[in-house]
Amino acid sequence: MKFIKILGVFGVATIALAFVSTASATTAESGGVATNSAITIKASILSGNSWLLTDTNNISANECSSSSLELTTSTVTGTSVSGAVSTWTWSNCTNGNPTVDAKGTLSFTNISGTTNATVRSNGVKVTVPSVFGTLTCETSNTDIGTLNGVKSGTASMVLNAVIACTVIGTGKWSGTYAITSPGGLGFGA
């Protein structure tokens, strides 16, 4: 019986090690080259695009033609690359400009076989004037979209998120940001 228990523990440990060995790290890249120091990521709404908040029935709550985002990574490699948001602003909005109550963090996790990354937001709290009244929207390790990495030129970040918002319960954030700095941003494995 002891032999079976030991064999069972050994089997579980072997499976766990196999899982760990197949997990890959995410590494920030600039110009197709892995970085070895923190990078500052700057983004703004892609020209001709807008940031949009709707309810789950796709009724527009607020739409902004201008938005900018900035963060500096605190890591450059790991399970994900993350950093604290230093700026996230919205302007030229149909129902008044949202304000940031808590900036939170963004993290980027490589999508296997690409330089793209899943973008997650944690701890962001935004007050949004809307057709439904004032909404407070928050993220909690929320998948908010995809960063489309490039080796040269302008990467993009496509938001497509379902987030918690007071009054309407859940809302949808959408929009496409151009990564204005650094050029050639990507997240490799």
Side-chain angles (χ1 to χ4, degrees), residues 34-161:
T35 60
N36 58 8
S37 60
I39 56 173
T40 298
I41 299 170
K42 296 180 181 180
S44 60
I45 283 290
L46 189 64
S47 179
N49 215 299
S50 62
W51 173 86
L52 180 64
L53 173 64
T54 66
D55 70 358
T56 52
N57 294 315
N58 292 318
I59 297 172
S60 179
N62 202 342
E63 185 172 5
C64 305
S65 61
S66 297
S67 178
S68 62
L69 168 69
E70 184 173 327
L71 67 111
T72 299
T73 61
S74 56
T75 59
V76 292
T77 191
T79 305
S80 63
V81 173
S82 62
V85 174
S86 55
T87 303
W88 203 339
T89 62
W90 294 269
S91 58
N92 300 319
C93 304
T94 57
N95 291 301
N97 298 339
T99 57
V100 176
D101 303 310
K103 296 176 184 173
T105 61
L106 293 184
S107 64
F108 305 87
T109 305
N110 172 259
I111 297 172
S112 182
T114 72
T115 58
N116 300 340
T118 299
V119 183
R120 298 187 83 75
S121 173
N122 192 43
V124 171
K125 183 177 179 183
V126 180
T127 300
V128 183
S130 82
V131 296
F132 305 108
T134 301
L135 309 176
T136 300
C137 301
E138 299 181 73
T139 63
S140 178
N141 197 29
T142 306
D143 179 344
I144 62 168
T146 302
L147 184 129
N148 297 310
V150 294
K151 289 189 179 185
S152 65
T154 305
S156 63
M157 184 172 67
V158 180
L159 298 185
N160 185 19

